[in-house]
Amino acid sequence: MPRQPPGTPPRERREGSARVRGRDDGKRLGAAELGGELGERATLVQFSSAFCAPCRATRRVLGEVAAMVPGVAHVEIDAEARLDLVRELGILKTPTVLILDADGGVVRRAAGQPRKADVIAALGEAL
C-alpha cells in the first residue's frame, strides 16, 4: 500500500468489518435532506446502492433495531440518486450508516455492514 501524506486519515474500513467513527463536526440533517421523517428519539440513516449485497443485510439489521427501540426510525437513501448529499457528507462506500440524535445531529457513522449489537451500542449515544 502506498504511503499517505501526513495528516491523511487512515482507511475507515478494513475488508470484512465495519469501522465506526465519532461525531461529524456538528452536521445536522432534516426530513428535507433525508426524504423521510426523523425518529422521535433517533434516526438510523443508511446510504445504499442498487447492487450492494451488504446493503440488503444492513437494511434488515437496521429495520429490526428500529422496530425494537421505540422512537427510532430507519431511513434508506439511494446513494446514486443523492450524489449531492453523498458528497456533502463524505460518503465513500455503501453501506454507510449514520446515527442521528432527535435533532438530526450526526452522532456516529459506520462504513460496511454493521452487527446488530454494534448498532444498538452506538444508538445508546443518541438516546
Side-chain angles (χ1 to χ4, degrees):
M1 181 186 314
R3 282 187 66 118
Q4 296 178 345
T8 302
R11 286 186 62 175
E12 291 182 31
R13 179 180 167 293
R14 300 282 182 220
E15 294 304 315
S17 65
R19 172 77 185 209
V20 178
R21 289 185 17 200
R23 295 187 176 268
D24 272 352
D25 299 326
K27 288 192 170 70
R28 295 207 177 281
L29 300 172
E33 291 93 359
L34 299 177
E37 291 300 316
L38 291 172
E40 290 177 20
R41 299 175 66 201
T43 306
L44 305 171
V45 180
Q46 174 184 348
F47 285 87
S48 299
S49 54
F51 298 105
C52 168
C55 292
R56 290 188 289 277
T58 299
R59 179 183 310 120
R60 189 188 82 253
V61 167
L62 297 182
E64 289 173 2
V65 171
M68 185 173 65
V69 182
V72 174
H74 172 222
V75 176
E76 187 171 1
I77 297 174
D78 180 357
E80 295 171 35
R82 294 298 313 273
L83 288 175
D84 58 328
L85 190 57
V86 166
R87 288 182 184 119
E88 180 183 332
L89 296 172
I91 305 296
L92 302 175
K93 300 176 185 250
T94 57
T96 291
V97 176
L98 305 179
I99 298 179
L100 310 181
D101 60 19
D103 297 324
V106 179
V107 175
R108 300 289 280 180
R109 144 191 306 241
Q113 182 180 335
R115 295 180 313 141
K116 186 188 275 190
D118 293 336
V119 174
I120 293 168
L123 190 57
E125 292 182 35
L127 300 177

